[in-house]
Amino acid sequence: MSSYQGRGLHGQVVEQLGERIVGGVYPEGAPVFSEQLEREFDVSKTVVREALKVLAAKGLVESRQKRGTVIRPREAWNLLDADVLRWQGREAPNFVFLENLAEVRGIVEPAAARLAAERRTEDDLAELDAALAAMAAAVHTPDAMVDADLRFHRALLNAAHNEVLSRMEVILAAGLQVRDRFVHHSRHGSDPMPSHRALLDAIRDGDARAAGLTVEALLAQAAADLAQVREHAEGTTKRTGRTPARRSRSAA
């Protein structure tokens, strides 16, 4: 499902309520009062009703007889929804979610890289080249680096010429954006250029084995970068006494 960002009052209500639910502001089972939302957002009943329908489709809320609308437990959420993925890390990073994402990337991207090395076209190589150039130009601009990195990995999946793998972009890109924002905005990330350049060279050479191994090495470095960010964040929490990043239920 596409993002509701920027779609008028309706989109604003969806965005803010979604962030609150995924961010743990509203706990499981908490009631959602339409009248209160109408006053808070200064919108009509119709706007609130339609926004709650969108959130219900994402598995975040449900209507119950005699109880009205309530927040659903995390295990009921549609975690593959692009908005839910994006809301995962709006404030403090959910490191368990990011580690789960890393596992999925480890399953999907090496295989995609091997296929890309065998099937890539000149257009695919041109898009990978352009994405790599954008990464190089953005090396000192974290937000631009996030966009360029997403562009590169999207191009990688598309170069495999498998429509199912291409659809995985919705999952990987939304989640990768969360991970990248914390890594590239920290001082703990490594230089991503050598590994991405080596991957592109392997794909250009048509070397499927090298492409797969290079992605595995790239992902290992990404995991190490994330571990450093997590260690720093948890160390800061211990020193300052600030509330740690929210964990998913699976971390318990």
Side-chain angles (χ1 to χ4, degrees), residues 56-249:
K58 299 175 186 295
L60 301 182
V61 301
E62 67 177 341
S63 296
R64 296 180 180 175
Q65 287 186 344
K66 300 182 180 180
R67 290 193 61 189
T69 302
V70 298
I71 306 300
R72 299 188 73 189
R74 181 182 174 85
E75 53 265 28
W77 299 353
N78 180 3
L79 293 177
L80 302 186
D81 179 273
D83 288 316
V84 176
L85 283 164
R86 181 168 50 81
W87 293 329
Q88 290 281 339
R90 266 300 167 86
E91 298 300 332
N94 180 334
F95 286 108
V96 172
F97 164 73
L98 293 177
E99 288 162 1
N100 287 340
L101 170 66
E103 289 182 353
V104 173
R105 292 184 67 194
I107 295 168
V108 172
E109 290 196 73
R114 289 191 291 270
L115 290 174
E118 296 170 350
R119 300 174 179 176
R120 87 289 184 278
T121 65
E122 291 303 314
D123 286 343
D124 294 326
L125 292 175
E127 176 58 16
L128 286 163
D129 275 323
L132 191 65
M135 289 180 68
V139 70
H140 298 301
T141 310
D143 288 337
M145 176 60 82
V146 170
D147 291 340
D149 192 25
L150 289 173
R151 180 179 179 181
F152 185 93
H153 288 274
R154 185 179 294 114
L156 171 64
L157 293 180
N158 288 336
H161 292 277
N162 179 304
E163 63 179 1
V164 177
L165 275 176
S166 292
R167 298 300 186 275
M168 292 293 289
E169 175 267 332
V170 175
I171 301 169
L172 295 185
L176 188 60
Q177 191 168 21
V178 175
R179 177 260 175 201
D180 274 0
R181 190 169 74 254
F182 291 106
V183 170
H184 291 314
H185 278 268
S186 77
R187 297 180 179 179
H188 304 280
S190 61
D191 180 2
M193 293 304 300
S195 57
H196 285 74
R197 187 176 293 110
L199 174 56
L200 176 52
D201 288 343
I203 292 172
R204 193 188 313 276
D205 292 343
D207 191 334
R209 181 176 181 276
L213 291 175
T214 303
V215 168
E216 289 174 359
L218 184 157
L219 295 178
Q221 184 59 61
D225 291 342
L226 183 61
Q228 282 193 310
V229 173
R230 179 172 189 170
E231 181 179 357
H232 175 74
E234 293 178 346
T236 299
T237 297
K238 290 178 182 178
R239 290 194 301 272
T240 64
R242 288 160 48 190
T243 302
R246 179 181 55 81
R247 291 171 174 264
S248 69
R249 292 180 178 275

